[in-house]
Amino acid sequence: MKLFTLLKNKIKGACDIHYEPGTIYNINIEDIKIPEDFEKTPPRKAKMDRKRRYYNEHGQFDKPIVLKQNLELTDGYIGYLLSKEFGLRYVECCF
């Protein structure tokens, strides 16, 4: 994972980080931007429960959160919500 490089760039003030498509990165959950459309439509309880159960059984989510280069979420909103619920500071994301 490229966590060290991301932290080093953030400390140096680098703002033009290019994330390689298909590569998994550990991203600080507080840096992820949630589009208004996701916030307006909460996921169904049954789907949340299914993903929560998967995480509890396997210790990870079934897929990474998908972000745009500007760290805006495009897929994986339930994983994001559950990560917040579980108190995770960094989450696996791809671009």
Side-chain angles (χ1 to χ4, degrees):
M1 306 283 176
K2 299 183 180 185
L3 178 60
F4 175 74
T5 303
L6 295 177
L7 290 174
K8 185 172 74 171
N9 287 339
K10 194 168 188 174
I11 290 169
K12 285 183 175 180
C15 58
D16 291 329
I17 298 171
H18 175 73
Y19 301 97
E20 293 295 323
T23 300
I24 303 293
Y25 294 87
N26 283 322
I27 302 293
N28 187 321
I29 198 162
E30 298 303 322
D31 292 338
I32 297 174
K33 300 171 186 103
I34 306 301
E36 194 175 312
D37 291 347
F38 282 105
E39 291 179 336
K40 285 182 181 178
T41 312
R44 292 187 322 265
K45 182 183 179 330
K47 196 167 182 184
M48 289 281 291
D49 290 343
R50 189 169 53 248
K51 297 244 182 206
R52 186 181 291 112
R53 192 169 38 256
Y54 183 95
Y55 183 86
N56 288 331
E57 290 174 5
H58 301 280
Q60 64 184 26
F61 293 107
D62 59 340
K63 61 182 182 177
I65 293 169
V66 181
L67 305 175
K68 294 180 183 178
Q69 289 288 324
N70 67 356
L71 302 182
E72 181 179 82
L73 186 133
T74 61
D75 191 25
Y77 186 52
I78 293 174
Y80 168 84
L81 292 174
L82 291 174
S83 295
K84 296 281 271 188
E85 178 182 306
F86 297 147
L88 302 179
R89 187 165 174 205
Y90 290 90
V91 293
E92 288 188 351
C93 299
C94 65
F95 296 81

